[in-house]
Amino acid sequence: MSNDQSNPFPQMLAVDGGQFQHHRPDLLPGLVPCWSFPPALERPRGRRAGGGGGYAGAIPRLATVMLLLFVLVFAALGFGGYQIHKMQMEMRDMRKAKTLQEPSRGEKLIGVGAEGGGKREERKEREEKAAAHMLGRVEKVDFRNTLRWDPRVGHAFTAGGVAYQVEDGALRVNQSGLYHVYSRVELIFRRCLPTSAFVHKVFVMRTGHPLQPLILMEAHRAGFCSRAAEHAWTADSYLGSAVRLEESDRVLVSVSHPQYLSHSHDGNFFGLYQI
């Protein structure tokens, strides 16, 4: 291969079927020399590149939604806490107002002064129904016509202002009204005869009439013994009725033969209660 210095373009070789051929630029006027290269291995810009861009755009949107959810949850918790605190404050104010309106425990027990305490006791007695139940007490030495009773043994009691008077065995009421009065006596006759008998009475001693008792109920028992046998015999009498009593009335019970009363507490009783 000869060098032609007058030619400014170098010679080019072309490969054709394994044979080298010379091209002379002077023979191809106007042709600019160029080099051909194989296509470069470029990264395909296909569906995968586009898909990656979609994922990248969804992540900020998801973060925004999560942030909004957290904000809503915390706002709801804060509002609920505020409501609970408000309710607690209202309940505390209500307790304070109730405490100021109600009297103290000491005032309830002893009252404010002697007059206030007396009024409360009187009101309590009026609110509670008047009632009493007495059990029998046997007199061993002095047998009196008006019977004596035991107000504390067994189920005996007094309530609602009813008072038991030891001196005469009476039940005194402190309020006028309608009462049910009852009495039962049980007598044991050692030697019961056909003529044996007794009288059972319930009467009232009223203020202003000390010598004139008002008979409420009366029972005459006779003929309870057998004609053939003369031996011990038990007889009883029960009286009960609704009567009108006045304030300070004293109700008493009498038996014609108190020495024959049995020694049973439950066999002899006396009581009343307001209707």
Side-chain angles (χ1 to χ4, degrees), residues 15-219:
V15 179
D16 186 10
Q19 299 294 323
F20 291 97
Q21 297 180 5
H22 292 271
H23 290 276
R24 297 188 56 179
D26 54 349
L27 298 178
L28 300 174
L31 184 65
V32 178
C34 62
W35 291 267
S36 297
F37 297 96
L41 297 177
E42 297 180 357
R43 191 173 209 177
R45 298 179 181 178
R47 189 176 300 173
R48 183 176 300 177
Y55 291 148
I59 291 175
R61 290 195 294 272
L62 181 60
T64 303
V65 172
M66 295 298 293
L67 180 61
L68 290 176
L69 289 177
F70 277 113
V71 170
L72 290 175
V73 169
F74 282 110
L77 292 176
F79 183 73
Y82 170 74
Q83 292 292 333
I84 294 174
H85 177 70
K86 184 178 178 180
M87 292 175 61
Q88 291 177 349
M89 296 295 293
E90 292 178 354
M91 292 178 64
R92 186 176 65 181
D93 295 339
M94 291 174 62
R95 291 194 189 100
K96 288 182 178 179
K98 186 176 181 181
T99 304
L100 293 175
Q101 291 177 0
E102 292 183 352
S104 63
R105 184 174 297 178
E107 292 177 351
K108 290 182 180 179
L109 292 176
I110 62 176
V112 182
E115 184 178 358
K119 290 182 179 179
R120 287 190 178 89
E121 291 296 331
E122 184 179 355
R123 189 183 303 113
K124 182 179 179 181
E125 291 178 357
R126 290 182 178 178
E127 290 176 356
E128 188 176 12
K129 286 287 187 178
H133 184 76
M134 302 288 104
L135 296 180
R137 188 181 75 183
V138 178
E139 300 289 346
K140 296 182 179 179
V141 179
D142 189 9
F143 297 101
R144 291 166 285 190
N145 289 335
T146 57
L147 302 184
R148 303 301 190 267
W149 308 93
D150 197 332
R152 297 181 180 179
V153 69
H155 51 276
F157 72 94
T158 58
V162 179
Y164 173 68
Q165 297 185 167
V166 181
E167 59 274 12
D168 56 1
L171 287 176
R172 181 173 55 83
V173 298
N174 67 342
Q175 185 177 1
S176 301
L178 193 62
Y179 291 80
H180 180 80
V181 182
Y182 60 90
S183 174
R184 183 186 188 272
V185 293
E186 185 179 70
L187 284 76
I188 300 177
F189 292 85
R190 303 296 180 184
R191 188 168 179 257
C192 192
L193 301 173
T195 57
S196 298
F198 68 93
V199 179
H200 177 206
K201 294 181 181 180
V202 178
F203 60 95
V204 171
M205 299 298 296
R206 185 159 291 171
T207 303
H209 304 83
L211 300 179
Q212 297 179 0
L214 174 62
I215 304 297
L216 300 178
M217 293 168 283
E218 184 175 358

